């Protein structure tokens, strides 16, 4: 085989975590403020009242110190130690984070060999994006589906979190406004819905632009928390005793109220977003912004609120945050904090929205959900994306939650359960990664799981007690979404296995026959001469023909190549048409897809030019036109080519026929001795390219009948899931959803596949 390309781009390049330094790192760290910490940063608004409701008398000084100690150590051990120090190091090689990324760290996809992918005349070497690496122990492989469901459950709960967080944050912000403007109390729902719609409308502008809009708000908000916290601490410096962890332990021993942990849990909501948003930024930018700014500000804010609650509990208990603002209500600082708090609360949902985009990008790319349109919004960070369908699904779900849950307390219960469960899923998957991926001793994994599993477990236990009081909502959403994603992974895997098992060597079903015909023409006598061949830089002679002089006629032997489709029973002649067909390979592997064989059986005719095209998304925003294609020629069968289309992640999907033809004609000219010999072939290819058609394969899946115990019931269930559900959804979400080609240029070829 011969191959050719224009440029020097490395098609084996893969996405890596973003590496920046200096001012670029500081700018990226600043962006994280408006995206990642808008959620955890607004927790001081309600955490202390979540532990000690305003309807109860103020707690004793020892209880306040114990409760604040529980908050301080929860913040230190979970967001800071677990996520910032450890979890961010467990992202994928591409720089993605979250529960699904942890799963694919354990079962990494097999890299695609694009040289093999362009090979059409070799036997199948099936590889799919979801293939499991052989380095994973057989023992762990037995639990692959269980771990998949567990990781997808965490992803599904993040989706639920993405709906609950805007509902909680926006309604609480509008409720705060209603405290000052009482006449708005009856319109909290409609106003909240209006703000929610506006919030989801701005997502289309991308992470970077949203960050530059929201980051100043969050930065100002965190700064105010830092300042007010320091001022409040001066009223009771003894609050620093909260750094003693025994105070937290004695607090729960003394009160014997396990449910208080649900209030402490509210202080760490949003910490999972730091890991899930890893692909939107990078590890160092998140560590810098949290460790150097957000974490100390939040700790001081909680200490300050605790100090004021001890010194002036009767007044403060009604609304710990607003009543603890230095100077009191009506003073300038109060109104500054009030306005910024409202703005910060409105944008608090941004962390979970962008985290949901990142997680669903991973799930869709690894074929656990149907393909949908995704927009990359940054030229420098590939992980910054916008998914319109997911965005509006979140918006609709958020509005439904606002309408259903009139009581904010029930919304908060639902919210806390989702957060606690995702944290526990993360802990278990990291515990598995430690020995199998990081190759650290088993004792490290056991120690990790015992320590952080215990912390997550006690919070999860407190949250699960809230299931009857609203936490059933994310549980229901998580179970339904997980079931669908596991089902889609299973059905897509069956289809991929069928495709891999039925890939064929092109020469195994297309045979050729050379037919010779003899014609005669009058002899033309010429003097000997030499003619240059510029391609090979040699000369060759054209000698006087003297044969068959008696007849005065010269015989010409013409060879005609005929192609046949070998069906096994017969050889069907294949007529060549002056057209060009771009046959899209939707899954990788050597050989040609089974759908091409089915295409020839339906239409026994061959275009003059047949190109099998694979698509490669490069880890750069844009690829120059001259670098986008690699083409390989099949020597034994004329007119067949394997090609790879390498597009930047922000390039529109638009196959350039002219660029392909230039590479193909260049290959043809290199494969012959002279331009004169290549001229007819080149002319045919150019003429055929004027009638180019894109052929997109798809399988009309049928449930294969199984002959096992209980077959009638099992086969009925399989038909229901495969034929009625999977097939119907697959038709609605085709692979061509992101293409720019006109529908008139695309031919869909369906082949029945029993899976």
């Amino acid at each position: 085989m011969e191959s050719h390309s224009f440029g020097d781009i490395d098609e084996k390049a893969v996405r890596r975590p973003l590496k920046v330094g200096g001012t670029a790192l500081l700018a990226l760290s600043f962006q994280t403020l408006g995206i990642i910490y808008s959620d955890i940063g607004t927790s001081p608004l309600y955490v202390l009242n979540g532990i000690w409701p305003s309807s109860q008398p103020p707690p004793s000084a020892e209880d306040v110190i114990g409760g604040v100690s529980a908050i301080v150590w929860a913040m230190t051990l979970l967001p800071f130690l677990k996520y910032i120090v450890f979890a961010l190091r467990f992202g994928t090689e591409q720089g993605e984070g979250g529960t699904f990324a942890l799963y694919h760290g354990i079962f990494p996809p097999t890299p695609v060999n694009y040289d093999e992918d362009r090979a059409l005349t070799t036997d199948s070497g099936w590889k799919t994006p979801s293939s499991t690496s052989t380095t994973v122990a057989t023992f762990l492989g037995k639990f692959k589906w269980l771990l998949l469901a567990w990781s997808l459950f965490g992803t599904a709960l993040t989706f639920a979190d993405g709906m609950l967080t805007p509902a909680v944050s926006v309604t609480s912000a509008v409720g705060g406004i209603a405290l000052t403007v009482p006449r708005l109390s009856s319109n909290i729902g409609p106003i909240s819905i209006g703000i929610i719609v506006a919030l989801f409308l701005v997502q289309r502008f991308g992470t970077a632009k949203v960050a530059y809009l929201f980051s100043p708000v969050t930065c100002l908000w965190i700064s105010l928390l830092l300042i007010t916290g320091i001022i409040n601490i001066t009223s009771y410096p003894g609050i620093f005793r909260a750094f003693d962890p025994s105070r937290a332990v004695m607090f729960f021993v003394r009160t014997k109220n396990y449910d208080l942990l649900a209030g402490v849990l509210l202080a760490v909501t949003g910490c999972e977003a730091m890991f899930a948003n890893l692909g939107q930024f990078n590890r160092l930018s998140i560590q810098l912004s949290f460790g150097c700014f957000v974490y100390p500000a939040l700790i001081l804010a909680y200490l300050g609120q605790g100090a004021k609650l001890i010194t002036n509990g009767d007044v403060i208990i009604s609304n710990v945050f607003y009543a603890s603002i230095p100077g009191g209500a009506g003073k300038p600082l109060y109104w500054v904090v009030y306005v910024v708090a409202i703005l910060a609360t409105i944008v608090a949902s941004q962390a979970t929205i962008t985290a949901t985009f990142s997680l669903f990008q991973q799930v869709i790319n690894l074929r656990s959900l149907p393909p949908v349109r995704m927009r990359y919004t940054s030229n420098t960070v590939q992980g910054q994306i916008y998914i319109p369908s997911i965005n509006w699904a979140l918006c609709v779900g958020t509005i439904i939650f606002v309408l259903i849950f009139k009581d904010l307390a029930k919304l908060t219960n639902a919210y806390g359960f989702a957060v606690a469960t995702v944290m526990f899923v993360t802990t278990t998957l990291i515990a598995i990664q430690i020995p199998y991926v990081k190759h650290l001793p088993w004792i490290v994994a056991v120690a990790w799981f015992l320590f952080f599993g215990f912390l997550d477990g006690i919070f999860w236990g407190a949250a699960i007690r809230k299931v009857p009081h609203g936490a059933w909502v994310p549980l229901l959403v998580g179970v339904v979404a997980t079931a669908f994603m596991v089902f889609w992974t299973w059905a897509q895997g069956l289809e991929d296995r069928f495709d891999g098992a039925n890939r064929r060597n092109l020469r195994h079903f297309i045979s050729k026959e050379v037919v010779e015909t003899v014609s005669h023409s009058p002899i033309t006598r010429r003097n000997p001469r030499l003619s240059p061949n510029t391609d090979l830089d040699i000369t060759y002679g054209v000698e006087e023909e003297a044969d068959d002089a008696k007849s005065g006629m010269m015989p010409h032997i013409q060879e005609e190549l005929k192609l046949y489709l070998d069906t096994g029973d017969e050889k069907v002649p294949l007529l060549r048409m002056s057209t060009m067909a771009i046959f899209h390979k939707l899954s990788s592997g050597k050989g040609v897809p089974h759908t091409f064989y089915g295409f020839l059986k339906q239409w026994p005719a061959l275009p003059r030019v047949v190109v099998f095209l694979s698509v490669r998304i490069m880890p750069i925003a844009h690829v120059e036109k001259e670098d986008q294609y690699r083409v390989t020629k099949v020597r034994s069968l004329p007119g067949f080519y394997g090609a790879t289309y390498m597009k930047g992640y922000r390039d529109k999907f638009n196959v350039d026929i002219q660029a392909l033809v230039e590479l193909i004609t260049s290959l043809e000219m290199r494969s012959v001795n002279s331009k004169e010999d290549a001229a007819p072939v080149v002319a045919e290819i150019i003429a055929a390219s004027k009638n180019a058609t894109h052929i997109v394969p798809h399988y009309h899946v049928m449930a294969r009948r199984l002959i096992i115990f209980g077959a009638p019931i099992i086969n009925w269930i399989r038909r229901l899931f495969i034929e009625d559900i999977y097939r119907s959804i697959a038709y609605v979400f085709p692979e061509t959803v992101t293409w720019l080609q006109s529908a008139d240029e695309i031919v869909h070829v369906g082949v029945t596949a029993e899976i």
Side-chain angles (χ1 to χ4, degrees):
M1 282 192 174
E2 280 190 70
S3 63
H4 189 49
S5 64
F6 283 134
D8 298 322
I9 190 171
D10 181 12
E11 69 174 325
K12 297 180 181 179
V14 295
R15 177 186 166 194
R16 295 299 182 194
L18 180 65
K19 292 183 178 180
V20 293
T23 56
L25 178 60
L26 293 178
L28 196 65
S29 298
F30 179 73
Q31 288 184 36
T32 65
L33 295 178
I35 301 298
I36 298 179
Y37 307 117
S38 51
D39 184 8
I40 196 171
T42 53
S43 295
L45 283 166
Y46 45 76
V47 168
L48 263 66
N49 274 126
I51 300 174
W52 299 290
S54 59
S55 58
Q56 298 179 4
S60 66
E62 281 301 313
D63 282 354
V64 171
I65 293 173
V68 173
S69 178
I71 295 171
V72 167
W73 282 101
M75 287 285 298
T76 302
L77 296 176
L78 293 175
F80 190 83
L81 185 62
K82 176 184 173 182
Y83 284 96
I84 293 298
V85 176
F86 291 115
L88 291 181
R89 300 178 183 275
F90 287 82
T92 64
E93 292 183 354
Q94 294 75 32
E96 291 288 352
T99 55
F100 200 61
L102 290 172
Y103 170 79
H104 271 92
I106 302 169
F107 299 97
T110 303
V112 176
N113 186 322
Y114 286 90
D115 288 329
E116 289 186 354
D117 199 40
R118 289 191 293 270
L120 307 178
T121 55
T122 52
D123 293 326
S124 171
W126 175 48
K127 298 174 183 177
T128 70
S130 57
S131 299
T132 302
S133 170
T134 56
T135 60
V136 177
T138 304
F139 171 76
L140 197 58
K142 295 178 181 179
F143 299 94
K144 180 180 179 181
W145 282 97
L146 179 63
L147 292 174
L148 173 67
W150 186 233
S151 66
L152 288 175
F153 185 55
T155 303
L157 285 175
T158 303
F159 181 69
D161 199 14
M163 294 182 285
L164 286 166
T165 303
V168 171
S169 62
V170 173
T171 52
S172 63
V174 176
I177 297 173
L179 291 175
T180 307
V181 188
R183 65 176 180 272
L184 296 179
S185 299
S186 59
N187 297 313
I188 289 178
I191 295 173
S192 298
I193 291 173
I195 295 175
I196 287 168
V197 172
L199 181 65
F200 282 100
L201 277 172
V202 302
Q203 301 303 317
R204 61 187 296 271
F205 296 109
T207 303
K209 292 181 179 178
V210 172
Y212 281 120
L213 177 65
F214 290 168
S215 292
V217 174
T218 307
C219 183
L220 179 58
W221 167 249
I222 299 294
S223 299
L224 288 172
L225 290 179
L226 179 67
I227 294 169
T228 57
I230 293 173
I231 295 173
N232 287 335
I233 288 172
T234 60
S235 67
Y236 189 78
I239 193 64
F240 282 113
R241 285 180 290 169
F243 283 110
D244 178 2
S246 66
R247 300 283 182 165
V249 175
M250 293 307 299
F251 170 64
F252 289 103
V253 171
R254 185 169 55 253
T255 60
K256 296 181 175 59
N257 191 349
Y258 184 54
D259 289 340
L260 293 177
L261 272 173
V264 177
L265 174 64
L266 296 176
V268 297
T269 55
C271 62
E272 180 64 29
M274 293 189 289
F275 185 37
N277 277 306
L278 180 59
Q280 303 269 354
F281 303 98
N282 68 5
R283 175 163 58 92
L284 189 54
S285 64
I286 298 172
Q287 289 175 329
L288 277 177
S289 55
F290 187 79
C292 298
F293 182 47
V294 177
Y295 172 75
L298 292 177
I299 294 297
L300 291 173
Y302 288 121
L303 290 173
Q305 289 182 20
K308 294 294 288 186
L309 190 57
I310 291 173
T311 58
N312 199 10
D314 292 333
V315 176
I316 297 297
I317 192 64
S318 61
N319 191 316
V320 175
F321 177 79
Y322 285 109
S324 64
I325 296 175
K331 300 299 181 180
L333 181 59
Y334 177 89
W335 290 113
V336 170
V337 173
Y338 180 83
V339 171
V340 177
I342 298 299
L343 295 175
T345 310
I346 290 173
V347 304
S349 53
Q350 191 60 46
T352 52
I353 294 174
T354 53
T356 303
F357 290 160
S358 290
L359 292 176
F360 273 81
Q361 177 199 24
Q362 300 171 41
V363 173
I364 292 167
N365 286 343
L366 292 164
R367 304 166 77 84
S368 291
L369 274 179
V372 296
R373 188 184 300 274
M374 292 186 288
R375 281 181 45 206
Y376 294 89
T377 60
S378 170
N379 284 331
T380 55
V381 185
Q382 187 175 354
Q384 294 187 359
I385 60 163
Y386 167 66
I387 308 177
S389 56
I390 299 299
N391 182 66
W392 295 113
L394 286 174
C395 181
V396 172
T398 301
I399 292 173
I400 291 174
F401 283 155
V402 171
L403 294 175
I404 292 177
F405 288 98
K406 304 295 184 182
D407 186 356
L408 186 60
K410 291 184 178 180
L411 263 177
T412 305
N413 290 336
Y415 178 44
F417 174 80
V419 171
T421 307
V422 174
M423 290 195 302
F424 188 67
V425 172
T426 299
T427 295
T428 56
L429 293 176
I430 288 179
I432 296 172
Q433 271 218 24
I434 287 173
Y436 282 103
V437 179
K438 300 300 183 181
H439 306 295
L440 296 173
W442 272 96
I443 189 64
V444 178
V446 173
W448 164 274
F449 183 75
L450 290 177
F451 183 70
F452 288 108
F454 170 75
L455 293 177
D456 293 336
I458 59 175
F459 282 114
W460 189 74
I464 204 171
R465 292 161 65 98
K466 304 292 184 179
V467 168
H469 308 290
W472 60 270
V473 175
L475 180 61
L476 178 63
V477 171
V479 169
V480 172
T482 301
F484 178 79
M485 289 188 285
V486 170
F487 154 71
W488 192 266
T489 306
W490 168 75
Q492 187 73 67
L494 291 178
E495 184 175 329
D496 287 343
R497 278 196 291 275
F498 177 89
D499 181 80
N502 290 276
R503 282 184 176 274
R504 307 185 68 171
N505 184 320
L506 191 61
R507 291 195 298 252
H508 288 177
F509 63 92
I510 294 183
S511 58
K512 63 181 180 180
E513 178 183 340
V514 179
V515 179
E516 295 183 350
T517 58
V518 181
S519 62
H520 295 81
S521 62
I523 295 176
T524 301
R525 298 183 180 276
R526 296 178 295 172
N527 292 325
R529 64 181 176 85
L530 293 177
S531 60
N533 185 311
T534 55
D535 280 349
L536 301 178
D537 198 24
I538 62 173
T539 60
Y540 61 91
V542 180
E543 298 184 356
E544 181 181 3
E545 301 289 348
D547 295 338
D548 211 3
K550 294 181 180 180
S551 64
M553 303 293 287
M554 183 177 67
H556 292 280
I557 299 176
Q558 296 180 334
E559 293 184 351
E560 181 183 1
L561 182 67
K562 292 186 177 181
L563 299 180
Y564 297 89
L565 173 65
D566 189 352
T567 63
D569 299 326
E570 59 177 337
K571 289 188 175 183
V572 181
L574 296 173
L575 301 177
R576 299 303 290 260
M577 303 176 295
S578 183
T579 59
M580 179 179 183
I582 311 295
F583 199 96
H584 292 264
K585 296 176 70 175
L586 301 182
S587 58
S588 61
K590 294 184 290 187
V592 297
H594 178 67
T595 46
F596 179 67
Y597 176 75
F599 167 73
L600 292 182
K601 290 187 69 175
Q602 294 180 50
W603 294 288
L606 269 177
R608 174 61 184 83
V609 180
V610 180
V611 179
F612 289 89
L613 185 71
S614 301
V615 179
R616 168 87 162 94
I617 306 298
M618 303 303 293
I620 55 177
H622 301 285
V623 176
E624 297 296 331
K625 290 287 185 183
E626 60 269 19
D627 294 334
Q628 287 186 337
Y629 299 95
R630 297 282 191 276
V631 178
T632 299
K633 177 182 183 297
V634 178
R635 282 184 169 275
S636 55
L637 292 172
F640 287 90
Y641 308 89
T644 303
Y645 171 31
M646 294 171 292
K647 62 182 289 291
Y649 61 81
R650 293 202 72 190
D651 288 332
K652 297 296 179 69
F653 188 99
N654 190 16
V655 179
D656 189 341
I657 300 297
Q658 183 61 36
L660 279 173
V661 170
E662 289 181 21
L663 287 171
I664 290 171
T665 54
S666 177
L667 274 174
E668 293 293 347
M669 293 179 69
R670 289 168 52 192
S671 65
V672 296
N673 293 326
S674 68
K675 288 185 177 180
E676 287 78 5
D677 293 338
V681 176
V682 170
E684 289 179 10
I685 292 172
I686 293 175
S689 68
K690 298 182 186 301
N691 299 301
T693 301
H694 294 267
I695 299 177
V696 181
H698 73 269
Y699 288 115
H700 181 81
V701 294
M702 305 284 290
R704 181 170 56 89
R705 293 186 62 187
L706 302 179
I707 304 176
I708 56 175
F709 178 75
I713 297 176
I714 294 174
N715 286 329
W716 179 83
I717 294 174
R718 280 173 52 84
R719 283 197 303 272
L720 172 67
F721 282 108
I722 293 174
E723 298 178 14
D724 296 339
I725 301 177
Y726 175 72
R727 187 169 69 195
S728 301
I729 298 175
Y731 284 153
V732 176
F733 295 93
E735 297 282 351
T736 57
V737 67
T738 60
W739 292 17
L740 287 184
Q741 264 69 32
S742 168
D744 296 337
E745 300 176 355
I746 301 175
V747 175
H748 293 268
V749 177
V751 176
T752 299
E754 289 192 354
I755 62 176

